[in-house]
Structure formats: C-alpha cells, structure tokens
Amino acid sequence: MLLVSRGVQDESLLEEHLEQCKVTKRKLKNELQSLDEKLESIKQSRQNKILTTLNQEDFQLDEMTQEEISVFITYSCYKRETPSDNNG
C-alpha cells in the first residue's frame, strides 16, 4: 500500500523507484554541501570584514567593553552595507 501511495504500481517498478530516490538523495546531498560551502564563505567574508574594519580604526580595543565592541562591529560592518553587498 505504501508503494502505491508513492507512485509504484507494481513491485517490478520498485527498483526503478528506489533508483529515483537515490538520485534525488544525491542531488539534495550535493545541494546541501554547496549551501554549506557558501555559508562558510559568507562567514569567512564577514569575519574578514570585521577584522579589516577593526584594524582601520584609531582606538584601542582593550579600552572598550565587550558590549561597546559588539555595538561598534554591528554599526561599522553591518549597517553600512548596501543591497549590492549582500549579493555575494
């Protein structure tokens, strides 16, 4: 009954159905891996942007609290982005 609900009318078509499922699984796995790589690239880019921005400023980070640094990073690195910056 489960096979019929998934479009397999006959047990002889079971192998074909399973192969289609395997192909779909491979495609999804590859897409997920690609998205993971893209996410990692975005994270690395953001981290590099933060470090570059911090290195360009004329103040001592050790004189700032963690909250002040967080606010600075949010303002300096994220609020200045234009829509074209988000396209990767």
Side-chain angles (χ1 to χ4, degrees), residues 30-42:
N30 289 339
E31 186 177 343
L32 181 60
Q33 182 179 0
S34 174
L35 290 172
D36 283 343
E37 290 169 0
K38 188 173 184 177
L39 177 61
E40 189 59 37
S41 172
I42 290 169

Side-chain angles (χ1 to χ4, degrees), residues 1-16:
M1 185 56 97
L2 182 60
L3 294 175
V4 172
S5 70
R6 294 190 178 177
V8 178
Q9 301 296 326
D10 188 346
E11 284 190 40
S12 64
L13 299 174
L14 179 60
E15 289 297 320
E16 182 180 335

Side-chain angles (χ1 to χ4, degrees), residues 1 3 12-14 18-20 23-25 37 41-44 47 51 53 55 61-62 71 76 78 81 84 87-88:
M1 185 56 97
L3 294 175
S12 64
L13 299 174
L14 179 60
L18 291 176
E19 187 58 36
Q20 289 174 349
V23 168
T24 301
K25 181 181 175 183
E37 290 169 0
S41 172
I42 290 169
K43 285 180 181 179
Q44 187 64 40
Q47 183 179 11
L51 292 174
T53 301
N55 286 332
L61 289 178
D62 55 355
V71 169
S76 298
Y78 300 114
E81 288 183 353
S84 62
N87 291 335

Side-chain angles (χ1 to χ4, degrees), residues 16 19 28 34 36 38 46 48 53-54 57-59 62 64 66 69 72 76 80 85:
E16 182 180 335
E19 187 58 36
L28 291 173
S34 174
D36 283 343
K38 188 173 184 177
R46 294 249 187 213
N48 289 342
T53 301
L54 290 174
E57 297 301 322
D58 295 331
F59 59 85
D62 55 355
M64 297 178 71
Q66 286 184 340
I69 293 171
F72 170 77
S76 298
R80 292 183 188 173
D85 290 341

Side-chain angles (χ1 to χ4, degrees), residues 66-82:
Q66 286 184 340
E67 183 177 334
E68 291 170 331
I69 293 171
S70 176
V71 169
F72 170 77
I73 289 172
T74 301
Y75 173 76
S76 298
C77 298
Y78 300 114
K79 299 298 183 193
R80 292 183 188 173
E81 288 183 353
T82 61

